Amino acid sequence: MYQIEEVAKKTNLTKRALRYYEELGLVSPSGRTESGYRLYTDEDVTHILHVKNTRDLLGASLQEIKEIMDLGKRYELLKQDYFSDKHANDQHVGEKLRLLTELEVTLRAQRDVLQEKLNKLTEMLQGYDEKLTRITNKKRELEKESKE
Amino acid sequence: MYQIEEVAKKTNLTKRALRYYEELGLVSPSGRTESGYRLYTDEDVTHILHVKNTRDLLGASLQEIKEIMDLGKRYELLKQDYFSDKHANDQHVGEKLRLLTELEVTLRAQRDVLQEKLNKLTEMLQGYDEKLTRITNKKRELEKESKE
DNA sequence: ACAGACATTAACGTTGACGTAAACGTAAAA
DNA sequence: TTTTACGTTTACGTCAACGTTAATGTCTGT
């Protein structure tokens, strides 16, 4: 169990940001000390890093991230439901299918955005590499020239 | 030569954004009409798209992008210099080498950031794919179950 | 026991990246 | 020719994502 400062260092976020994320309902420390200090588990930290990655890499707003995550929670809820005896009911099975489909659609959309970004990133990387080799060549030229 | 509205559509940016980028010194239309309308060339559009990609994919601020681009301009200036007769001067060659090295270092840093992002994106993509297959499986299960 | 480094909440401030409205000129079409 | 639909600059508004400050409580070493 870590205190906020420790987590800030681990995640490279500020304490303010961590509290802000919590305020938005994005992350919640698993516990508090008697006196009210936030206590984070390793799992919490992993979760925070995932949020950060989603923000940085997907470029998603914190609101969007929250929406995705809320959907994830519905998924977890669904999973629990799956093992309850209620699922004998046919109507309930239909409801679960509906939710699963919705989740699938959303995740696939997210995935496609990621894929698109990955493609463009690869292009950009190639561009950089070409520029870099051109520079390296030019440097060689100049060095040769200066020796003559 | 396109007017601003056309460019806005091509780049999927707003007119306001285009003017704002110009204000920051990020992009400049190659010309103006007699009456002061902005005129963009295809090259300008390509440039704007590059800026947009850098913003979206690298997640860089417009200021950072400007700094990168200013370095690019120094590179172009250097290239012109390269063909001037001044480069007979040894000292001048040294200066060029210094600048080229600086440019190389900066670009390589940028490239590494890109590479890092690409790696993380790939990880995330895998995570999404795993989740999606799990969902697909669960859906199959449920569909089977509802048929019995 | 007390200084100093941590924590808390509450509230106002800041910054980047535009949006929006006003007041106006221009170009194309009816 | 007079709408209609573009363009211009200027300037204030907005919103997300925190930063910062204030006022206060808590833990830790000496």
Side-chain angles (χ1 to χ4, degrees), chain B residues 3-5 15 19 32 36-38:
Chain B
Q3 272 180 220
I4 196 168
E5 171 91 41
K15 292 180 276 182
R19 298 199 186 100
R32 296 265 182 154
Y37 286 23
R38 273 161 254 254

Side-chain angles (χ1 to χ4, degrees), chain B residues 61-115:
Chain B
S61 75
L62 298 180
Q63 264 311 314
E64 288 170 325
I65 295 177
K66 185 173 161 54
E67 282 158 24
I68 299 173
M69 281 183 21
D70 286 352
L71 216 90
K73 280 173 194 165
R74 276 172 76 188
Y75 174 71
E76 291 306 314
L77 227 131
L78 207 68
K79 247 177 152 175
Q80 289 202 327
D81 240 26
Y82 182 74
F83 292 110
S84 81
D85 50 358
K86 282 201 258 170
H87 85 284
N89 186 328
D90 258 18
Q91 230 183 358
H92 201 242
V93 170
E95 175 72 0
K96 271 186 273 185
L97 263 172
R98 206 182 56 71
L99 279 173
L100 267 182
T101 305
E102 190 184 337
L103 188 66
E104 191 187 14
V105 168
T106 310
L107 282 181
R108 198 175 296 279
Q110 289 292 328
R111 199 208 82 113
D112 289 350
V113 171
L114 275 182
Q115 182 71 59

Side-chain angles (χ1 to χ4, degrees), chain A:
Chain A
M1 300 291 256
Y2 314 105
Q3 272 179 223
I4 198 168
E5 171 92 40
E6 185 100 10
V7 177
K9 278 181 191 165
K10 276 178 193 281
T11 61
N12 214 22
L13 288 166
T14 65
K15 291 181 276 182
R16 175 63 174 109
L18 287 171
R19 296 198 187 101
Y20 180 60
Y21 287 9
E22 184 177 349
E23 197 179 318
L24 293 187
L26 275 172
V27 295
S28 311
S30 292
R32 296 265 183 154
T33 70
E34 184 81 14
S35 56
Y37 286 21
R38 273 161 255 256
L39 289 176
Y40 300 83
T41 67
D42 277 312
E43 208 179 317
D44 291 337
V45 173
T46 307
H47 177 60
I48 293 168
L49 286 174
H50 181 251
V51 168
K52 204 196 163 199
N53 273 335
T54 307
R55 188 200 62 177
D56 290 348
L57 303 176
L58 234 151
S61 74
L62 298 179
Q63 265 309 314
E64 288 170 324
I65 296 177
K66 184 172 161 56
E67 282 159 25
I68 299 172
M69 281 183 21
D70 286 351
L71 215 90
K73 279 172 195 165
R74 277 172 75 188
Y75 175 71
E76 290 307 314
L77 227 131
L78 206 69
K79 247 178 152 174
Q80 289 202 326
D81 241 26
Y82 182 75
F83 292 109
S84 82
D85 50 358
K86 282 199 257 171
H87 85 286
N89 186 327
D90 258 18
Q91 231 183 358
H92 201 243
V93 169
E95 175 73 2
K96 272 185 273 185
L97 262 171
R98 207 184 56 70
L99 279 173
L100 267 181
T101 305
E102 190 183 337
L103 188 65
E104 191 187 12
V105 168
T106 310
L107 282 182
R108 197 175 297 280
Q110 289 293 327
R111 198 209 81 112
D112 290 350
V113 171
L114 275 182
Q115 183 70 59
E116 191 48 34
K117 287 219 173 193
L118 214 146
N119 292 341
K120 285 193 184 173
L121 262 181
T122 309
E123 265 184 53
M124 276 189 79
L125 199 66
Q126 279 184 357
Y128 271 85
D129 281 343
E130 282 169 21
K131 272 190 193 175
L132 277 169
T133 53
R134 275 204 295 272
I135 289 176
T136 311
N137 287 340
K138 224 147 233 176
K139 275 182 75 178
R140 259 198 263 286
E141 271 183 54
L142 281 179
E143 275 161 8
K144 210 175 171 185
E145 189 175 327
S146 77
K147 277 188 186 167
E148 287 166 7

Side-chain angles (χ1 to χ4, degrees), chain B residues 1-2 22 28-33 36-41 44:
Chain B
M1 299 290 257
Y2 314 106
E22 184 177 347
S28 311
S30 291
R32 296 265 182 154
T33 70
Y37 286 23
R38 273 161 254 254
L39 289 175
Y40 300 83
T41 67
D44 290 339

